[in-house]
Amino acid sequence: MKKLAIVLSSGGARSFFHLGFLKVLQDEGVNIDLIVGCSGGALIGSLFANNVSIEDIKKEFYKISSRVSWFKPRIGKGFFSQEPIINIFKMLKSDVSFKDLKIPLIIVASNISKGFAESFSKGRIIPAVCASTAIPGLYSPVKIKNSYYFDGGLFNYTPSDIARKNIGRNNVVVSVDLSYKSAKNNIEHMNVVDVLRICALTVYKKCTFKIKDYSNLLITPFNGSDYNFKDIKTTVGFYSKKSLEKYYKMGEKAARKNLNKIMKLLKE
């Protein structure tokens, strides 16, 4: 049986798709040898790699208090604080080091001091997750040692190349890419979230070839979907319990649909 690496892309609230996807693999007894996560994928991948119950993850994120705290304003270089992420990890007993994880994990963040995507696989989990999820403009850059980091999606939205490098060319890489097309709005009517996402998508398009070239199986559930964060209501709605559950169910469905393909790849 070949080894399996799962790549979990950026995705914000859509990253709950990853959780549903992983749940089915777990239930079917599929052994995962490596998880490579970026941004929302890093957050979900870290908790899963630490063997946190998926029901406990859902329960914590579905709390109204948890979701409201994500939008707690702060004064500084970003609109919001990452303290809620830190608190969730502590609540779920995941303030641990990479070496403590049940599944090997690599987290990708954008080193803006040096201008490249950097992989983390040693040290404490929380700083790496915060670095990988620090969306420019919304959060302050995260300092680790002598460098500053922003969201991993800036330089490598779906890091299949990193998974391939670490799992080997003769093993299997399954990439879950949650990218989507940008809203077709007049730029004059876009808010800061729209503009930031368009910038990220522009960078993403330049590295799309990496995802296909380094993946044995590429899953793109939101390909062609159009997301428009035109006001605070739609933006907050994106993170509602209803939306999170919808993405989770989509992940379960996609995993079941692709399960036979994955098993076949592992046995080839």
Side-chain angles (χ1 to χ4, degrees):
M1 187 76 76
K2 295 181 179 180
K3 292 183 177 180
L4 172 63
I6 300 291
V7 181
L8 306 177
S9 78
S10 300
R14 296 190 313 283
S15 296
F16 253 60
F17 180 101
H18 295 320
L19 195 62
F21 190 88
L22 292 170
K23 178 64 163 62
V24 171
L25 297 186
Q26 183 182 69
D27 288 347
E28 294 296 330
V30 178
N31 185 62
I32 300 174
D33 299 281
L34 174 66
I35 294 175
V36 181
C38 177
S39 193
L43 191 157
I44 295 297
S46 297
L47 295 172
F48 185 82
N50 194 40
N51 204 33
V52 178
S53 161
I54 287 180
E55 288 306 313
D56 285 345
I57 296 173
K58 291 176 67 177
K59 182 179 179 181
E60 188 61 37
F61 277 88
Y62 285 1
K63 289 179 182 177
I64 294 178
S65 58
S66 294
R67 287 180 281 112
V68 169
S69 69
W70 298 348
F71 300 98
K72 181 180 179 180
R74 56 160 290 171
I75 299 174
K77 298 177 182 177
F79 291 135
F80 306 118
S81 168
Q82 287 190 305
E83 185 178 346
I85 292 176
I86 296 172
N87 290 338
I88 285 176
F89 269 71
K90 290 181 177 179
M91 284 288 295
L92 295 174
K93 298 180 180 180
S94 293
D95 186 4
V96 299
S97 297
F98 281 89
K99 63 181 178 61
D100 300 318
L101 299 175
K102 307 302 180 184
I103 301 173
L105 171 74
I106 297 174
I107 291 176
V108 179
S110 298
N111 187 324
I112 59 170
S113 297
K114 299 179 180 178
F116 58 80
E118 186 170 336
S119 300
F120 291 89
S121 57
K122 296 180 180 179
R124 290 179 58 237
I125 294 292
I126 289 179
V129 171
C130 287
S132 186
T133 57
I135 301 172
L138 299 185
Y139 299 103
S140 297
V142 175
K143 185 177 182 180
I144 299 177
K145 294 183 178 180
N146 296 318
S147 292
Y148 286 90
Y149 297 85
F150 268 134
D151 194 296
L154 287 177
F155 295 156
N156 201 342
Y157 194 96
T158 309
S160 305
D161 54 329
I162 295 173
R164 176 59 67 197
K165 179 180 178 181
N166 284 273
I167 202 70
R169 67 178 183 177
N170 295 322
N171 291 305
V172 178
V173 173
V174 174
S175 299
V176 183
D177 177 4
L178 304 184
S179 61
Y180 60 95
K181 69 180 181 179
S182 58
K184 296 180 180 179
N185 276 0
N186 187 312
I187 191 69
E188 294 180 359
H189 296 101
M190 289 183 180
N191 62 22
V192 63
V193 178
D194 290 319
V195 174
L196 287 171
R197 291 184 179 279
I198 286 177
C199 290
L201 285 168
T202 300
V203 175
Y204 159 74
K205 289 177 181 178
K206 293 182 179 180
C207 66
T208 300
F209 73 94
K210 293 182 181 180
I211 306 171
K212 296 179 180 178
D213 289 351
Y214 294 112
S215 303
N216 298 91
L217 177 62
L218 175 59
I219 297 170
T220 56
F222 297 98
N223 189 21
S225 299
D226 198 347
Y227 286 85
N228 179 10
F229 300 89
K230 61 183 180 180
D231 51 40
I232 189 64
K233 182 179 180 180
T234 55
T235 302
V236 173
F238 179 60
Y239 290 90
S240 68
K241 178 180 177 181
K242 181 179 179 180
S243 293
L244 295 178
E245 183 65 14
K246 179 181 73 173
Y247 301 138
Y248 177 83
K249 293 294 185 184
M250 288 177 65
E252 285 186 317
K253 183 178 180 180
R256 293 191 186 98
K257 179 180 178 181
N258 289 280
L259 185 60
N260 288 338
K261 291 181 183 178
I262 294 172
M263 297 307 299
K264 183 178 180 180
L265 286 169
L266 291 173
K267 293 176 181 178
E268 285 181 350

